[in-house]
Amino acid sequence: MKSEKPEKKKEDKGLFSGVMVAYLVLLLHVLLLVLVAVAVVFFRGVVEYMPWILGGGFALILLSGYLFFRKFRKNAEKLREVLSDPVFRDRAVEVKLFGGVASLRLGQPVASGNPAEPILLDRVPVMQLEDPEAQRLRRLDQLVRLLDQGLISPEEFGRLKNELLADPTMPIINP
């Protein structure tokens, strides 16, 4: 008789957990149906009021554009005064709005005093620092060329090479 009681408790637990799982599945189905009904009602309302939603959004965009234009015209004289400052002369000024999302370029840089001629980027020299390692290799290449041309002896080449490798800032004179 003792062996029958533990089996009955296991059987009762299994039956209880099975019923609870069935109730949980039923509850989740009911919840799913409620969510689908809410979504249908919501989207039906959105579709019915879509013209009003789009019209209101368009009206807000027009209103903000009008307010921006009005403020810009109000401060146009101050802007002209700032742009006529000698610091900004012959330079383009770029105003970035909304964190760089929109930008406005005012003025155009002038190349040779002629405002009708725009600056071409290939005419403007680009100033760039040389990498120290590339500088060292270039100087070493100069030493090899001097040796090949017979302008320095192999002893001088060895001495200058060792100095160059010890001090990369040492200048090498071009022949």
Side-chain angles (χ1 to χ4, degrees):
M1 287 194 179
K2 288 184 180 179
S3 61
E4 289 179 17
K5 286 189 179 181
E7 288 178 13
K8 189 174 183 183
K9 284 186 179 181
K10 278 186 175 180
E11 195 176 292
D12 288 342
K13 268 187 168 180
L15 183 63
F16 179 72
S17 63
V19 170
M20 290 308 291
V21 168
Y23 277 124
L24 181 65
V25 168
L26 183 63
L27 180 67
L28 288 176
H29 278 87
V30 169
L31 183 65
L32 179 67
L33 288 173
V34 168
L35 288 176
V36 167
V38 167
V40 166
V41 168
F42 174 75
F43 284 117
R44 182 176 173 210
V46 168
V47 169
E48 284 183 20
Y49 294 107
M50 186 64 72
W52 289 102
I53 293 170
L54 291 176
F58 189 67
L60 286 175
I61 290 171
L62 286 177
L63 178 66
S64 65
Y66 170 73
L67 292 175
F68 177 77
F69 182 72
R70 194 174 80 175
K71 186 164 187 135
F72 186 76
R73 281 189 75 110
K74 185 179 180 183
N75 295 323
E77 186 60 39
K78 292 179 189 176
L79 185 61
R80 278 191 211 103
E81 184 179 312
V82 167
L83 289 177
S84 67
D85 191 3
V87 173
F88 295 113
R89 186 162 298 156
D90 299 333
R91 292 187 180 176
V93 177
E94 188 170 350
V95 179
K96 293 187 176 188
L97 306 169
F98 309 118
V101 172
S103 64
L104 175 67
R105 187 178 206 79
L106 302 171
Q108 182 172 346
V110 182
S112 59
N114 183 2
E117 181 183 331
I119 287 185
L120 298 176
L121 294 178
D122 57 347
R123 292 186 195 169
V124 179
V126 176
M127 304 297 282
Q128 187 174 6
L129 294 176
E130 189 175 12
D131 180 32
E133 191 61 32
Q135 199 173 29
R136 181 184 292 195
L137 290 174
R138 184 177 45 81
R139 289 179 180 169
L140 191 57
D141 185 48
Q142 288 175 347
L143 279 177
V144 169
R145 274 193 258 129
L146 289 173
L147 179 65
D148 289 343
Q149 293 173 358
L151 297 173
I152 60 173
S153 67
E155 294 81 23
E156 287 176 317
F157 173 76
R159 182 180 55 80
L160 289 172
K161 181 181 81 168
N162 290 337
E163 287 178 11
L164 176 65
L165 294 176
D167 182 22
T169 61
M170 181 188 91
I172 296 177
I173 300 172
N174 288 332

